[in-house]
Amino acid sequence: MNEEIMRRRVYGADHDDPDPGPRPGHDYVELVGGPLDGLLLDVTGWPEERRRTTVPLSTEIGRYGAGGHALYGPRPDDRRRYDWQGDTP
């Protein structure tokens, strides 16, 4: 894992976690755009089929506030990035 990735925050890490970054031996994709831009999503153990679909990620900072979800899906030409596709309640 390169040094730039190791400094990034992982989606779902507690705000008071002293080490909210990625863990060795895990697979991550970068979230691009939308309310979770720049976070890493841990996709360790996800089957290939799931990695090809859009995922709803809980967030309080999206269009719908608390209880809302941001939708992210894989970029067709770059498997290391998931692009924001919108928000949903």
Side-chain angles (χ1 to χ4, degrees):
M1 205 176 306
N2 72 34
E3 188 175 321
E4 178 185 338
I5 291 291
M6 291 303 292
R7 292 190 304 252
R8 307 288 288 283
R9 182 175 193 84
V10 174
Y11 168 79
D14 290 335
H15 291 288
D16 59 352
D17 185 341
D19 185 12
R23 306 280 188 244
H26 287 239
D27 295 324
Y28 297 93
V29 295
E30 178 184 3
L31 302 176
V32 179
L36 304 176
D37 184 52
L39 293 178
L40 298 175
L41 178 64
D42 188 345
V43 295
T44 304
W46 286 22
E48 187 60 35
E49 183 177 310
R50 184 172 181 202
R51 288 187 185 210
R52 291 192 308 255
T53 61
T54 298
V55 294
L57 302 173
S58 297
T59 182
E60 295 179 0
I61 57 175
R63 179 177 180 185
Y64 297 97
H69 296 83
L71 302 174
Y72 284 85
R75 186 177 288 184
D77 60 344
D78 186 350
R79 297 174 43 103
R80 298 170 301 158
R81 292 184 172 83
Y82 276 26
D83 292 315
W84 179 61
Q85 298 177 350
D87 294 330
T88 187

